[in-house]
Amino acid sequence: MNEHRANIKLPIYLDYQATTPLDPRVLETMMPFLTETFGNPHSRSHQFGWEAETAVEKARDQVASLINAKPKDVVFTSGATESNNIAIKGVGRFYKDKRNHIVTLSTEHKCVLESCRALQQEGFDVTYLNVQENGLVDLDHLREAITDKTVLVSVMAVHNEIGVIQPLKEIGAMCRERGVFFHTDAAQAVGKIPLDVDEMNIDLMSISGHKIYGPKGVGALYVRRKPRVRIKPIFSGGGQERGMRSGTLAPFLCVGLGEACAIAEKDMGADNERIRNLWNRLYEGITSVNDEIFLNGDAENRYYGNMNLSFAYIEGESLMMGIKDLAVSSGSACTSASLEPSYVLRALGVDVELAHTSIRMGIGRFTTEEEIDYAVTEINENIRRLRELSPLWEMAQEGIDIKSIEWTEH
Amino acid sequence: MSYSDKLIDHYENPRNVGAMDKNDDSVGTGLVGAPACGDVMKLQIKVGVDGVIEDAKFKTFGCGSAIASSSLVTEWVKGKTLDEAGAIKNTDIAEHLALPPVKIHCSVLAEDAIKAAITDYKDKSDAADADSKEEVA
């Protein structure tokens, strides 16, 4: 069925937004810290501790360098979820008496939205701004939403589901002008697009290890010191990481994150060019032979490692079952317990019917042309098969407007 | 989500996919569900003069469980009288395919599709009877 099958290891990983494989170069740097170099980086009285500390500080430099930050402004955490929690709850709680309003987007990651909800329980006001149809924030709406009481604006840099890049520089400038802190969840952006905390006036940035070919279980939070951003820590403890995140660091994880950042800084240009070509190949391969395939999220302002498509008349999970050799994820309801389609696609104004037909595909550092060609063949064959099976496709072919039918919602 | 072999078989090799002429008086068509809910099933039955279902066809927009449930019922209704077909319970479908709890609604929809097809057939034949009586009168 597929001439490429012989050369390809199945299943093919196309879910780089969920996680990325560990780069072998990263693993290599981590290994010694799982064996002979086992010291506690916070031990000040002997060489074991000093060695571990040196390694952690090198990693901190590497993380900082990638986003043009000062190393001292980088705090290691367990991942972007923790970083987002510390940033939002930490800033909110510290400044609560003076300012108690937060602005974010309705399309943010659940850990941002839930952190905001937690603050609402503590008496904060939160504005959840809707986005435009292309997934981007309307800067005029953002400007109007900021008040004298606003302490923080939190906007994701690259979107996990639809890949759009928000206008960070413009948002940062606006926040600086109004004296509001700007936090960005950059879990999907770090190492993928150029980021500069000074140029973009970013005050806090959440970073994840495992989205950038580093290990799971580690991340970082950039917290600006000049002008100073203060945080009420979530963890009580020994005051490590400038008091913002107590707990013994895991040097092997920090080293892994650092190396992943160093590789990304070096390879970003070449990676992105390759990924862009693969994106075009996949997109052309599908849309050149099929009608009514829709790209979700802006076509230009995006990271091309992400492709979220709606396949009209085909329910997303049934397509995923068909393309079982491809590891992708669905924006449709049927893969989740809630049976509600993606809140992100709904926020974009994607019809609920179409939201049920969406699939997210991720292209990354280790994706090959052969894999993309294989994927195109699989996807196209299943589109044909499942549309043949779809009563909605049949109606569309007969010229019946599906919206004109009185459906019984169940 | 992990599915039973029977379910996967019906998804990969769906039985009786297709369409029959919905204007044919011997054909009953059931269209249930809603695109907004992510499931639409169209089930058609062709009923012989003896009141036995001779043939069944389906098309489904929905997840794998929805496709498998509708494929399965096209097999089950064939050779049954309308009363027998109308007695098929969603729980039988769910049990046969070992549907996960979150997918039980797919079997409910398949049961609804059978009932809707039977109702459509009966409405049409009642109307046809009424027409023929008028002709006699």
Side-chain angles (χ1 to χ4, degrees):
Chain A
M1 175 180 86
N2 196 314
E3 68 273 22
H4 299 285
R5 182 166 292 221
N7 313 324
I8 283 185
K9 188 166 168 281
L10 298 176
I12 295 167
Y13 191 72
L14 292 174
D15 202 11
Y16 279 82
Q17 280 69 44
T19 193
T20 57
L22 192 67
D23 192 301
R25 293 169 286 182
V26 172
L27 177 64
E28 207 174 304
T29 61
M30 291 169 67
M31 284 303 279
F33 297 91
L34 284 159
T35 51
E36 66 263 31
T37 314
F38 64 87
N40 182 331
H42 314 294
S43 296
R44 291 284 157 80
S45 53
H46 49 68
Q47 193 179 336
F48 296 89
W50 303 331
E51 275 176 12
E53 189 191 18
T54 305
V56 166
E57 293 316 312
K58 182 187 169 195
R60 202 185 301 280
D61 291 348
Q62 291 170 316
V63 176
S65 169
L66 180 57
I67 58 172
N68 192 31
K70 309 270 184 303
K72 274 192 178 171
D73 296 9
V74 173
V75 172
F76 286 110
T77 67
S78 65
T81 290
E82 189 191 339
S83 298
N84 285 335
N85 270 266
I86 296 175
I88 292 164
K89 293 177 186 167
V91 166
R93 286 172 185 161
F94 191 92
Y95 295 96
K96 185 180 180 180
D97 293 340
K98 289 184 192 135
R99 296 175 172 219
N100 65 348
H101 177 237
I102 290 173
V103 181
T104 189
L105 306 183
S106 60
T107 49
E108 291 293 304
H109 193 277
K110 286 283 182 192
C111 63
V112 166
L113 296 176
E114 289 303 314
S115 293
C116 288
R117 298 227 189 280
L119 288 182
Q120 279 180 291
Q121 301 284 321
E122 299 171 20
F124 276 80
D125 287 328
V126 179
T127 302
Y128 301 94
L129 281 179
N130 280 324
V131 293
Q132 306 172 82
E133 271 184 24
N134 59 5
L136 298 176
V137 63
D138 182 324
L139 290 168
D140 290 332
H141 290 177
L142 180 60
R143 189 175 293 113
E144 287 159 19
I146 296 172
T147 72
D148 294 343
K149 283 286 176 190
T150 307
V151 61
L152 185 74
V153 168
S154 180
V155 173
M156 201 187 316
V158 168
H159 199 276
N160 55 309
E161 232 178 279
I162 54 174
V164 296
I165 303 172
Q166 297 291 353
L168 300 175
K169 196 174 168 182
E170 287 80 356
I171 298 170
M174 193 187 294
C175 289
R176 186 57 56 90
E177 188 192 313
R178 304 285 295 270
V180 175
F181 296 128
F182 175 31
H183 165 248
T184 184
D185 171 2
Q188 304 279 350
V190 168
K192 316 277 175 66
I193 63 169
L195 292 171
D196 183 322
V197 292
D198 284 342
E199 193 197 318
M200 295 170 165
N201 286 310
I202 293 166
D203 296 306
L204 300 114
M205 181 193 289
S206 300
I207 299 168
S208 168
H210 74 108
K211 309 290 193 193
I212 58 171
Y213 312 93
K216 294 169 183 62
V218 67
L221 177 63
Y222 163 77
V223 186
R224 180 179 289 283
R225 281 182 313 144
K226 285 179 189 167
R228 191 170 182 199
V229 180
R230 303 192 65 180
I231 271 178
K232 195 168 189 298
I234 292 175
F235 285 8
S236 308
Q240 289 91 346
E241 298 298 276
R242 288 168 52 215
M244 294 189 201
R245 207 280 191 171
S246 286
T248 300
L249 288 174
F252 78 106
L253 293 176
C254 297
V255 162
L257 174 59
E259 185 64 18
C261 287
I263 293 170
E265 191 170 358
K266 184 164 63 72
D267 290 356
M268 193 190 299
D271 270 355
N272 282 352
E273 195 185 328
R274 226 176 45 79
I275 287 168
R276 174 74 204 253
N277 286 333
L278 293 176
W279 192 96
N280 288 343
R281 198 176 179 94
L282 181 58
Y283 187 75
E284 291 299 321
I286 297 169
T287 56
S288 62
V289 292
N290 294 291
D291 294 332
E292 297 191 73
I293 309 285
F294 306 100
L295 176 69
N296 294 308
D298 196 81
E300 300 297 327
N301 297 301
R302 68 160 45 251
Y303 169 60
Y304 287 91
N306 171 299
M307 189 186 298
N308 188 313
L309 297 178
S310 291
F311 299 83
Y313 316 114
I314 302 172
E315 198 279 325
E317 196 223 39
S318 71
L319 181 55
M320 288 214 302
M321 263 179 94
I323 53 174
K324 58 179 187 295
D325 291 332
L326 312 179
V328 299
S329 95
S330 165
S332 100
C334 278
T335 50
S336 65
S338 70
L339 301 186
E340 290 295 321
S342 157
Y343 70 96
V344 173
L345 296 182
R346 298 291 294 130
L348 263 56
V350 173
D351 279 349
V352 63
E353 292 90 336
L354 265 183
H356 279 290
T357 72
S358 303
I359 297 267
R360 181 187 72 187
M361 292 169 278
I363 301 165
R365 184 178 289 164
F366 303 107
T367 310
T368 64
E369 240 175 45
E370 290 73 24
E371 287 177 332
I372 293 296
D373 290 346
Y374 185 95
V376 166
T377 308
E378 287 279 292
I379 291 166
N380 287 345
E381 187 169 314
N382 278 281
I383 291 172
R384 187 193 54 71
R385 186 176 92 86
L386 291 166
R387 280 188 171 166
E388 195 82 358
L389 203 63
S390 169
L392 303 180
W393 174 251
E394 182 183 80
M395 288 175 198
Q397 300 306 299
E398 288 169 1
I400 300 170
D401 179 8
I402 289 164
K403 290 192 188 305
S404 71
I405 294 175
E406 269 187 46
W407 301 99
T408 46
E409 309 234 343
H410 54 285
Chain B
M1 219 172 286
S2 72
Y3 292 122
S4 69
D5 291 344
K6 276 182 190 160
L7 190 153
I8 290 168
D9 181 43
H10 273 284
Y11 167 78
E12 288 184 344
N13 309 295
R15 329 291 200 257
N16 306 307
V17 176
M20 296 188 275
D21 179 5
K22 59 178 180 286
N23 299 317
D24 182 338
D25 282 344
S26 68
V27 171
T29 301
L31 183 66
V32 295
C37 303
D39 302 293
V40 175
M41 285 182 192
K42 191 185 83 165
L43 180 70
Q44 293 184 299
I45 51 173
K46 186 175 174 60
V47 185
V49 284
D50 55 357
V52 172
I53 297 171
E54 288 175 352
D55 199 5
K57 295 279 182 209
F58 89 97
K59 284 197 179 187
T60 289
F61 163 84
C63 59
S65 301
I67 291 170
S69 296
S70 36
S71 168
L72 177 67
V73 299
T74 59
E75 281 192 324
W76 279 3
V77 298
K78 275 201 232 180
K80 284 193 166 67
T81 65
L82 294 179
D83 286 347
E84 286 167 349
I88 292 172
K89 290 272 164 289
N90 82 283
T91 46
D92 302 332
I93 301 164
E95 194 184 343
H96 185 85
L97 295 172
L99 292 182
V102 61
K103 299 292 186 185
I104 296 299
H105 71 279
C106 297
S107 62
V108 175
L109 206 57
E111 182 189 317
D112 290 349
I114 302 172
K115 293 203 159 72
I118 292 171
T119 303
D120 181 60
Y121 169 77
K122 284 184 174 165
D123 287 352
K124 274 202 232 166
S125 54
D126 287 352
D129 284 352
D131 285 349
S132 58
K133 273 176 197 148
E134 274 170 27
E135 277 167 33
V136 174

